[in-house]
Amino acid sequence: MPSTQPLSHDSAKAPATPYRLVLEASDGPPKIDLAELWHYRDLLYFLTRREISIRYKQTLLGLAWAVLQPLLSMVVFSLFLGRLAGVNGDGLPYPVFSYLGLLPWTYFANAMTRSSASLVGNANLLSKVYFPRLLIPLSATLSALVDFAIAFVVLLGLMAWYRIPLSVSVLWLVPLTLATAFLATGIGMGLAALNVQYRDVQHAIPFLMQLWMFATPVVYPVDTLPERWRFLLDLNPMTGLIEAYRAAPLGRPIDLGSLAVSAAVGLVLVAIGVWRFRRMEKIFADVV
């Protein structure tokens, strides 16, 4: 029978060394650890689902709010701009023209606004446990996609009402929506970081979005502006996206030049937002 011997003192298990994670600001270019984000994908799903649940909990109309915001805006602009001011719809019925602009704009504005307020809104979570802080503004952007998907059904109904055929190029809306989400997340990250340090940022954002909307061809065609000034619209990162949103479902050619300029400006804004977020990330839990 094999004999058993007691473990020696040297072979005894040593006490575990406490694990300490230190967050430090990087002096290099803005970086995002995609592997770490993938590792925390379950948490991202939970945060996104929680955002959706909280938004519509104990509401009278529930998910109908996702439809009412762009739909009622379309009705108001169709009445005052389309009918009274006589703004043309670029060859389309003005309700369809305006809704094609309001659909992506509403998603962008909601996603960016929610992202910018997300860190302050999750202050308790930030101070208790470590996880990639990027998940919080990203969950706000993803949760807004639910509203976008519901509101998109209204667009299909409008096009059917006006007997406008849907082109196969509507598939372009998938990468265009991803680009809009990317832009909203990047800018929202920078504003969220500023909002942690300066709480009046969240009060300025609604006013900023109103000004930005009227500087974007959402409810008016690009040719409303004199040709010599149209390059200013291209410097707006949402101009190329809005125009592409209008062209894709109808099978019209997409202005790749305008889209490229808007994309380049958008990348610069996203890089600035990511840089600001990463620079301030280590102090979020202390300041928020």
Side-chain angles (χ1 to χ4, degrees), residues 97-102 105 212-213 216-220 242 246:
F97 172 85
S98 60
Y99 197 86
L100 279 169
L102 287 166
W105 175 261
W212 196 341
M213 175 180 172
T216 307
V218 176
V219 293
Y220 59 86
I242 294 289
R246 283 204 177 98

Side-chain angles (χ1 to χ4, degrees), residues 182-183 187 235-238 260-272:
F182 178 74
L183 180 64
I187 299 176
L235 297 179
N236 180 344
M238 282 301 294
V261 174
S262 296
V265 176
L267 285 174
V268 172
L269 294 178
V270 168
I272 294 173

